[in-house]
Amino acid sequence: MEKKGGAESCPPPFIAGDFLRVRRARVVSMEQRKEQDFDRFHSHVDDRLLALLPTADSSHGLFSLTFLRRLLDAFLSCDDEFRCLLLARGFGGLLSRPDADRAVADLLDRTVKSLDVCRAASLALDSIRHFHRLADTAASAAIPGQGGRVCRAIAKLLASFLNSAAARSEGSSGSSGRSSRSGHLRTLGRRSYFSGGNTPPVPANLIVPRGSPAGGEEIAFAVYAMSSVLAFTMWALAAALVCQDGGGTLPSSPVSPRQHLPWAGTMVLLQDRMSEEWRSRKGDFVQLAEMQALQRCAKGLMEAVREGGRPRAEDVAEMAMKLAEACRRLEKALAPLERQVREVFHRVVGSRAEVLRCMDQNKRAAAPPIPP
């Protein structure tokens, strides 16, 4: 070691200013990591919503079981990221901040209402299963010498479509006030899509947090983003399954986010596209693409069987094959969606419990210690 004047040289003393600079640098680094975590969450929400937009070669529109499967998958993915923020990243302790309390209360209220939409969607899918069974019976009956059986099977299927439309029309006209008639409508609602009188309430518009995500309100805007994804998912699920009333009106869009949020423009665009597609299909007995294909094939098979004179076996067989293929496509999309709706139901319950658990932990941590 170098010596000067016969004495060892000592390193410069560590003064208080250096300690403060190091501490300040660590705080800034933590704040930057926190901002990056929240920015990644908002970007993830935007990416999943962008993937839902239909492309030029999309075979199905936004009113299809295929789209609903992708939508629920996007919701589950966003919920995973939100739970990661609260648990793995340790931001659950910020939920009790004054800037986040309103957003948290809104999310908790919205989860309860969403469970009603999931239940109604499950009933609607069960009624679609009923249509599928009737169509599958008609397709399998289309063999030589069974024209009468085919006609009866298809007539029963088409009558179910008509009864479904009639049940929805009566249910939305306010006639459910009579006890005997409302009971009849509930029965029809289980075998049709869902009668208008039994439509669950779709969550209303969200309250946008004050401030900005970069102004220290990151947790409030993260909760708001999750509430928005949940509200949009339930609105789309209700529009496609529960509110299947071709003569009615689409519930108003529940999300009107600020444009500076990364995912805002994509969500607004999806809502506008769904509203346009609803208006273009208004008046149809069914709006789901898979159900419309089923209805078209059933009518085609009926026309082939009832053709003047003796129907050609080749025409009947061809239309029966088309109906059978429509049944297979419906089943391929229906079974996974039924499982997804159940998973979303349980996930919403679990996420709500996690938020409440974080709030309870924060409350206990902030409580003054009990004196001995």
Side-chain angles (χ1 to χ4, degrees):
M1 182 175 293
E2 295 182 3
K3 296 183 179 182
K4 187 174 181 180
E8 295 184 357
S9 61
C10 297
F14 190 78
I15 59 176
D18 296 325
F19 173 76
L20 292 176
R21 279 194 295 271
V22 172
R23 185 176 180 181
R24 191 178 300 116
R26 289 179 178 175
V27 171
V28 171
S29 179
M30 291 176 60
E31 287 296 322
Q32 288 175 345
R33 284 197 297 269
K34 184 176 75 169
E35 291 178 8
Q36 290 173 358
D37 288 335
F38 283 108
D39 287 344
R40 275 195 295 269
F41 171 68
H42 288 287
S43 298
H44 180 81
V45 172
D46 185 46
D47 291 340
R48 296 312 305 256
L49 293 177
L50 276 172
L52 296 175
L53 288 171
T55 58
D57 57 347
S58 297
S59 57
H60 295 288
L62 299 179
F63 282 91
S64 67
L65 298 179
T66 303
F67 171 76
L68 292 179
R69 287 178 57 193
R70 295 170 54 222
L71 173 64
L72 296 188
D73 184 64
F75 166 77
L76 292 171
S77 176
C78 292
D79 185 71
D80 284 337
E81 291 296 316
F82 182 66
R83 285 196 181 196
C84 181
L85 279 179
L86 298 184
L87 303 178
R89 300 296 182 185
F91 296 133
L94 302 177
L95 291 175
S96 298
R97 292 180 53 167
D99 56 342
D101 54 358
R102 292 181 64 189
V104 172
D106 198 6
L107 175 62
L108 293 175
D109 178 65
R110 203 161 300 275
T111 54
V112 175
K113 296 176 180 177
S114 298
L115 298 179
D116 291 333
V117 179
C118 288
R119 293 189 189 99
S122 294
L123 284 176
L125 292 173
D126 185 61
S127 68
I128 293 176
R129 178 73 65 183
H130 169 70
F131 287 118
H132 175 269
R133 286 193 295 266
L134 292 176
D136 195 48
T137 300
S140 61
I143 57 177
Q146 297 293 323
R149 184 184 172 197
V150 174
C151 287
R152 287 193 298 271
I154 299 177
K156 190 175 181 180
L157 173 62
L158 297 179
S160 295
F161 280 118
L162 292 173
N163 289 337
S164 174
R168 291 193 303 272
S169 177
E170 291 178 12
S172 59
S173 63
S175 60
S176 58
R178 304 171 187 175
S179 59
S180 61
R181 195 177 188 91
S182 63
H184 175 61
L185 285 177
R186 280 192 293 271
T187 302
L188 282 177
R190 287 180 176 271
R191 295 184 66 81
S192 62
Y193 274 84
F194 210 79
S195 62
N198 295 315
T199 300
V202 178
N205 291 333
L206 293 130
I207 301 174
V208 183
R210 302 185 182 93
S212 65
E217 294 83 14
E218 295 94 343
I219 187 63
F221 278 91
V223 174
Y224 171 73
M226 195 62 232
S227 294
S228 299
V229 173
L230 177 61
F232 170 69
T233 302
M234 294 299 119
W235 175 78
L237 203 62
L241 293 176
V242 184
C243 305
Q244 279 288 324
D245 183 358
T249 56
L250 182 68
S252 59
S253 304
V255 185
S256 300
R258 294 183 182 178
Q259 290 301 316
H260 71 269
L261 296 172
W263 45 267
T266 309
M267 182 171 287
V268 170
L269 182 57
L270 279 167
Q271 291 179 148
D272 292 343
R273 291 279 184 90
M274 291 198 73
S275 299
E276 291 174 5
E277 195 166 331
W278 172 281
R279 288 190 292 268
S280 67
R281 299 187 181 192
K282 189 174 181 180
D284 294 339
F285 286 154
V286 292
Q287 294 187 347
L288 286 172
E290 293 86 354
M291 293 294 287
Q292 287 185 336
L294 201 72
Q295 189 180 34
R296 284 195 304 268
C297 293
K299 288 182 177 179
L301 180 56
M302 176 72 86
E303 293 172 359
V305 172
R306 287 183 172 178
E307 192 174 297
R310 189 171 184 177
R312 295 178 55 190
E314 296 83 359
D315 295 340
V316 174
E318 180 183 357
M319 295 309 302
M321 288 179 60
K322 289 184 178 180
L323 181 57
E325 179 60 28
C327 289
R328 282 192 291 270
R329 287 197 298 267
L330 178 60
E331 172 63 26
K332 184 178 179 180
L334 185 58
L337 183 58
E338 288 172 327
R339 291 193 295 269
Q340 276 184 308
V341 170
R342 289 193 294 269
E343 183 180 358
V344 167
F345 181 93
H346 293 294
R347 182 68 68 85
V348 169
V349 172
S351 295
R352 189 175 192 275
E354 288 291 350
V355 171
L356 289 174
R357 187 180 64 81
C358 290
M359 297 289 290
D360 184 60
Q361 286 183 344
N362 297 340
K363 186 182 298 185
R364 284 184 293 177
I370 301 176

